[in-house]
Amino acid sequence: MGNAEELARERRARLAAERLLDLKQAELHEANRKLSAHARDLTEEIIEKREETQALRHQTTEALTQLETARGKIMIAERRLWTSIETVQDGFAIFDHSGVMVAANAAYLAPFDGIDAVGPGVGYEALLRIAAEEGVIDTEGASRDDWVEEMLWRWRTPAIPPRTIRFWNGGFAKLVDRRSDDGDTVSLALNITAEIRNQAKLKAARRRAEAANRAKSAFLANMSHEIRTPMNGVVGMAQLLAETGLTEEQSLYVETIRSSGESLLVLINDVLDYSKIEADKLELHPEAFDLEQAVYEVTRLLRPSVGTKKLELLVDYDIFMPACYVGDPGRVRQILTNLVGNAVKFTEEGHVLIRVSSLPDAEGARHRVHISVEDTGIGIGSGQIDHIFGEFNQVDGERNRKYEGTGLGLAITRRLVEMMDGEIWADSVVGQGSSFGFYLTLEVAEEQWAEPPEIPPWIRRILIAGAHFPERDILRRQLVSQRLPAHAFSNAGDLRDARPTLGDVVLLDCGLEDAAADALGNELRDGGFDGPLYLLSGAPTNPDGVFTGILQKPLRRHDVLRALSTSPEPETPDLPAPTPLARTERRRMRILAAEDNRTNRLVFSKLVKSADIELQFAENGLEAVNAYEAQPPDLIFMDISMPEVDGREATRRIRAIERDGRLRRVPIVAMTAHALTGDRDEILAAGLDHYLSKPLKKADLLAHIADACPPDCAPPLPELEEAQAARA
Ligand code: ADP
């Protein structure tokens, strides 16, 4: 190899080495650059971390300070809490979930005074055993083990019930324990010693007061009973005295003695009943009785107190209800009499409606009997309703002042209802009326489930004509519920339009406004109606020939059904030749005497005693007109001066009815104390036929009776019969 070649090779090697050196230098440079960038990043990071650490250190110091403050506050709160808990007279303790005492105040631990084992750390069961065995508590008769067992059982129930315990020294504590969500149990032992002692004192005082009250009521009951006996003498003797020959003035005095005596007796009876109830001396005497009959009896007894008021007494006794129950009939009647009596007393016009219904219990042996007495009277303000059930309480007001009463009726009624497992309430709107309702729990008297009478199949329709909506509607509903086709009409015109015919039964109310019942009855008969025709009447009357019979109001569903079931089936009659009626077949002469004075009525009845007549009294003019309308009598004796509607006005009305209904004219004889000639003419001008001045003479009365006797009546006087016989 030549030198040149050697030189070229060296030069090439040197060049290659230089290039490699450059490359390595470039790489080194790059590495240096990266290294310094990294070092810079690191420095920045270190600075950042240092700042963060600085901040954290600051925060920690702050947190530590706050923690210290909080701990201080907690300690203060805890100390305050415990100071409060310690101050409380009642015991307070906390037990953990396993029943170990965590803390307790001094009051809780006090009963265990001196027993070291009792304090935080003691288990609940151990605590109970110590309490029982060391005699801390009075187990009140139970054995110690039983007491502990019972208390443990209580402690283990999820919602621990409160329990009163008694300590050895007669003190009492009520234990109230509550579990918290974390399983601890907070236990309070409330000191109720003073409360229990007070209660015992109150009980003793109440017992003494009740005994004193019973003694007072017993005294009152005895006294009222004692007063009744002489009072009966006073009233009875006054009655007898009134029947002896007295002047009008004397009669007035005697009547005043009698009526005052009777008012006093009512008051005494109320006081007697009330004091008997108060003294626990009133006993119920249950027996099987007819409730339906009792309701009707009460209405019948109270009918006279309706007097001249335009007031209908109605009964709606649920047709599906049994009539007989086991109860104290006297007391049930007393309740009804009080409520219906009040309703009549406080209602001037409209109606008093007694509704009776019942609900059987599950076995059906006992019924909840609901009775309501609704009236259309003066009503009671809502604020007074509770008040009136109190003793001697009455509604105080202008409108009530004119009504007499003791204010004891409802108090007695309420007590009686409560004695019969019932409840009473009232509802009222002033000026519109009141409704008193009550229920009694009564056993059904088994043997009394009588089947309703069977209605003959020929009865096609029952036509009811009556002026009063509730009354005719109750009757219609009762009949319809027995699957009987009943129709009700409010006036004679509608009844005529219904054209009563074969297969119909007509029930005619005597109070229709557009026709007198007798006249309408005659008209139906004249028109060819042959079927049963019943008069519905509130006053005792004698059925005229035109009527099949009379049904007394308020109508008893059973009476109506029985009348229907026994109604004669009409047939085309083969009229027999009229034969003179024997004396026994002829009806008695009907005489109506209108007289407002009770003594005078008594005198009148004594004077006509020897006459065989049917005597009916009206106590004023209005009653006389009503009685006339119900059934025209054969003769009327009319007192002239009577309250509200006097004798003249009553006569005018009767004459008007006669004209409208084209009825036979009834002779009317005036009776008056004013024997002035002018009066006589005026009286006769009012439509009266004759004139008698008081005092009445027996002979005059009998003469008028004999004169007025119609041919279809039995002669009222034996002498008259003899005379007739002699003439024949
Ligand atoms: P008395 O009727 O003897 O006063 P009660 O205890 O029977 O006593 O009634 C108390 C009062 O309740 C009555 O005085 C009357 O003010 C009121 N009262 C009772 N029933 C009725 C009624 N049906 N309508 C209006 N007020 C009545």
Side-chain angles (χ1 to χ4, degrees):
M1 179 189 341
N3 274 344
E5 212 175 290
E6 180 76 7
L7 273 174
R9 197 182 48 89
E10 276 181 6
R11 217 181 90 229
R12 275 198 306 273
R14 205 186 63 235
L15 278 172
E18 278 173 0
R19 268 200 307 273
L20 186 65
L21 187 66
D22 282 346
L23 194 68
K24 287 296 171 193
Q25 266 177 343
E27 278 178 4
L28 196 64
H29 189 256
E30 178 60 25
N32 262 342
R33 198 188 54 80
K34 278 187 181 166
L35 205 62
S36 58
H38 186 64
R40 203 174 50 246
D41 285 351
L42 260 178
T43 313
E44 276 172 9
E45 202 174 316
I46 286 167
I47 291 169
E48 216 170 85
K49 290 286 174 209
R50 193 180 297 142
E51 279 171 359
E52 272 177 20
T53 314
Q54 202 73 30
L56 270 176
R57 191 172 297 142
H58 182 69
Q59 276 177 4
T60 312
T61 320
E62 217 166 73
L64 279 173
T65 321
Q66 282 174 357
L67 193 66
E68 200 54 36
T69 320
R71 194 176 291 141
K73 282 186 179 166
I74 288 170
M75 278 169 66
I76 293 169
E78 197 176 352
R79 202 179 58 238
R80 281 183 182 152
L81 182 66
W82 273 103
T83 314
S84 313
I85 289 173
E86 286 297 347
T87 332
V88 175
Q89 296 290 308
D90 300 312
F92 172 88
I94 301 176
F95 295 84
D96 68 13
H97 66 282
S98 57
V100 172
M101 184 187 281
V102 177
N105 70 354
Y108 196 94
L109 302 174
F112 302 92
D113 191 25
I115 305 173
D116 291 339
V118 177
V122 67
Y124 194 70
E125 182 171 353
L127 185 75
L128 291 175
R129 291 213 179 279
I130 295 169
E133 277 154 26
E134 296 293 327
V136 173
I137 50 95
D138 176 352
T139 58
E140 296 175 77
S143 76
R144 287 171 185 172
D145 285 346
D146 286 353
W147 185 84
V148 171
E149 275 312 305
E150 192 221 315
M151 293 296 284
L152 274 179
W153 173 84
R154 168 184 171 275
W155 181 256
R156 285 173 194 141
T157 46
I160 308 171
R163 166 82 151 84
T164 300
I165 55 168
R166 191 187 157 112
F167 294 108
W168 64 276
N169 58 0
F172 288 89
K174 182 176 181 181
L175 302 181
V176 179
D177 305 276
R178 290 274 179 284
R179 295 214 198 289
S180 63
D181 292 340
D182 56 9
D184 282 357
T185 304
V186 176
S187 188
L188 292 179
L190 309 172
N191 185 349
I192 55 167
T193 310
E195 203 179 314
I196 295 238
R197 290 203 179 127
N198 278 344
Q199 269 175 11
K201 270 192 211 155
L202 273 177
K203 250 188 213 161
R206 189 175 160 177
R207 261 198 308 276
R208 279 197 301 278
E210 279 174 352
N213 193 34
R214 269 198 302 278
K216 187 198 73 197
S217 303
F219 169 76
L220 214 59
N222 288 337
M223 276 311 291
S224 3
H225 188 79
E226 292 304 319
I227 298 170
R228 268 163 60 96
T229 320
M231 276 315 297
N232 276 327
V234 172
V235 173
M237 284 299 153
Q239 258 164 14
L240 288 178
L241 191 59
E243 286 168 22
T244 60
L246 297 178
T247 64
E248 211 162 310
E249 198 180 2
Q250 284 169 331
S251 310
L252 191 75
Y253 296 160
V254 173
E255 175 56 23
T256 312
I257 295 176
R258 192 199 57 79
S259 60
S260 311
E262 263 170 12
S263 308
L264 195 54
L265 268 178
V266 170
L267 175 64
I268 291 169
N269 282 344
D270 276 357
V271 172
L272 179 64
D273 268 346
Y274 193 75
S275 44
K276 263 193 189 164
I277 296 176
E278 280 284 280
D280 290 336
K281 278 193 175 172
L282 193 122
E283 282 175 15
L284 296 176
H285 299 287
E287 59 182 81
F289 78 106
D290 189 331
L291 174 67
E292 190 179 8
Q293 192 179 337
V295 173
Y296 282 94
E297 265 170 25
V298 168
T299 55
R300 222 163 281 149
L301 279 174
L302 288 171
R303 178 155 290 284
S305 24
V306 171
T308 53
K309 294 181 191 179
K310 280 194 176 153
L311 192 58
E312 285 287 317
L313 269 181
L314 311 173
V315 177
D316 186 1
Y317 194 97
D318 185 357
I319 192 94
F320 297 109
M321 224 180 121
C324 293
Y325 289 90
V326 177
D328 185 328
R331 296 298 173 185
V332 171
R333 257 187 230 117
Q334 186 176 2
I335 294 171
L336 284 167
T337 309
N338 276 342
L339 296 183
V340 182
N342 276 347
V344 170
K345 181 160 73 172
F346 295 106
T347 308
E348 290 306 317
E349 60 178 13
H351 66 253
V352 171
L353 169 59
I354 308 161
R355 288 184 203 274
V356 190
S357 59
S358 74
L359 269 180
D361 65 4
E363 286 90 50
R366 280 163 78 80
H367 277 205
R368 198 183 237 236
V369 177
H370 281 257
I371 303 184
S372 67
V373 179
E374 299 165 19
D375 66 52
T376 51
I378 61 170
I380 307 159
S382 54
Q384 302 270 355
I385 297 257
D386 290 335
H387 170 74
I388 54 167
F389 285 103
E391 299 81 29
F392 299 105
N393 288 354
Q394 297 175 311
V395 173
D396 197 17
E398 201 47 50
R399 282 157 18 120
N400 284 63
R401 218 150 282 159
K402 61 178 176 175
Y403 299 104
E404 281 187 359
T406 61
L408 268 179
L410 287 178
I412 295 172
T413 303
R414 192 189 59 188
R415 302 292 287 262
L416 289 176
V417 169
E418 285 167 358
M419 282 178 80
M420 296 184 203
D421 294 334
E423 211 181 297
I424 183 164
W425 59 91
D427 207 3
S428 185
V429 179
V430 172
Q432 289 187 21
S434 315
S435 168
F436 282 80
F438 66 96
Y439 74 79
L440 305 174
T441 314
L442 299 177
E443 208 175 292
V444 179
E446 272 176 35
E447 71 274 23
Q448 306 290 345
W449 281 91
E451 283 292 308
E454 209 168 293
I455 308 299
W458 61 263
I459 295 186
R460 202 170 53 89
R461 288 191 306 177
I462 298 155
L463 307 175
I464 307 158
H468 299 279
F469 169 74
E471 187 175 34
R472 63 170 188 269
D473 192 53
I474 291 169
L475 181 56
R476 188 189 58 77
R477 276 190 290 114
Q478 289 187 336
L479 294 173
V480 168
S481 72
Q482 293 290 294
R483 299 180 189 286
L484 294 170
H487 308 270
F489 310 102
S490 61
N491 57 58
D494 290 349
L495 176 68
R496 284 188 200 103
D497 292 346
R499 297 183 182 281
T501 176
L502 203 68
D504 289 345
V505 176
V506 178
L507 308 177
L508 207 56
D509 189 274
C510 59
L512 277 179
E513 272 165 17
D514 56 347
D518 263 7
L520 186 56
N522 275 310
E523 187 189 317
L524 293 179
R525 291 292 189 225
D526 292 347
F529 175 63
D530 236 8
L533 173 60
Y534 290 94
L535 180 69
L536 315 180
S537 165
T541 36
N542 232 7
D544 193 351
V546 78
F547 291 107
T548 316
I550 294 225
L551 292 170
Q552 282 296 332
K553 293 200 294 183
L555 297 168
R556 233 187 120 178
R557 56 178 182 162
H558 191 77
D559 294 344
V560 177
L561 294 179
R562 205 181 39 222
L564 291 177
S565 72
T566 54
S567 286
E569 184 175 357
E571 45 188 74
T572 324
D574 292 334
L575 285 176
T579 47
L581 294 172
R583 185 180 197 281
T584 47
E585 286 167 327
R586 282 183 279 170
R587 66 176 179 87
R588 285 152 90 208
M589 190 178 168
R590 282 193 299 273
I591 292 184
L592 173 67
E595 169 61 79
D596 64 320
N597 182 295
R598 189 182 169 278
T599 316
N600 288 347
R601 288 198 296 275
L602 212 87
V603 172
F604 187 96
S605 59
K606 287 248 153 43
L607 292 176
V608 299
K609 202 167 67 187
S610 59
D612 182 18
I613 53 169
E614 209 144 82
L615 177 61
Q616 187 190 354
F617 278 115
E619 296 185 13
N620 55 49
L622 203 62
E623 254 187 50
V625 178
N626 289 342
Y628 162 81
E629 278 192 297
Q631 189 169 41
D634 301 302
L635 173 63
I636 301 176
F637 287 99
M638 183 79 82
D639 184 20
I640 292 302
S641 54
M642 289 187 288
E644 293 184 46
V645 174
D646 70 6
R648 293 183 201 86
E649 175 58 16
T651 307
R652 268 186 223 110
R653 291 189 194 181
I654 289 173
R655 294 299 181 224
I657 296 169
E658 283 170 350
R659 275 195 302 278
D660 292 347
R662 291 183 297 282
L663 293 173
R664 187 168 61 85
R665 195 174 194 277
V666 178
I668 305 181
V669 181
M671 305 187 287
T672 175
H674 312 284
L676 298 174
T677 356
D679 286 340
R680 183 190 170 93
D681 295 338
E682 192 207 321
I683 286 167
L684 296 181
L688 290 115
D689 302 294
H690 306 283
Y691 179 97
L692 287 179
S693 56
K694 289 179 183 172
L696 301 170
K697 289 184 200 74
K698 184 175 171 180
D700 291 343
L701 291 176
L702 293 182
H704 277 294
I705 291 173
D707 283 353
C709 179
D712 61 334
C713 283
L717 306 165
E719 313 87 85
L720 201 65
E721 191 169 18
E722 280 159 26
Q724 275 181 352
R727 262 204 305 278

